[in-house]
Amino acid sequence: GLVHEAVDEASLDAAVARVVAALLACAPGAQRAIKVLLRDLAGRAVDAALLAATAERIASARASEEGREGLAAMLEKRPPRWAPP
């Protein structure tokens, strides 16, 4: 599951630039939080407690300063503060 795209050598720089741009457009705290969430969920059975804990993490992320900025940027149709110029 590590490879999600294959390109020829001539297209490699453009493909890397596209992936990097997509990563930079995302909220850094949200990316960090999802990595932690995925690590914490690995190998666990899905049950009510797990669903509740995950919902709590998502709600916390949305209520954070970064989450509020992301929502405001979307509603105002502008790039968020973390987006590269």
Side-chain angles (χ1 to χ4, degrees):
L2 291 176
V3 176
H4 67 273
E5 182 176 356
V7 298
D8 60 31
E9 187 176 348
S11 303
L12 183 59
D13 288 343
V16 169
R18 187 175 61 255
V19 171
V20 168
L23 290 170
L24 291 174
C26 297
Q31 290 187 56
R32 183 174 37 259
I34 194 65
K35 289 176 185 179
V36 171
L37 176 64
L38 290 172
R39 184 197 64 214
D40 292 350
L41 297 180
R44 289 184 57 190
V46 176
D47 58 16
L50 180 66
L51 293 174
T54 301
E56 186 175 318
R57 289 183 189 199
I58 292 169
S60 178
R62 286 183 180 163
S64 71
E65 181 179 335
E66 186 179 82
R68 291 189 311 272
E69 165 60 14
L71 182 57
M74 182 187 69
L75 293 174
E76 296 167 12
K77 299 183 189 303
R78 62 169 174 80
R81 289 190 304 253
W82 61 78

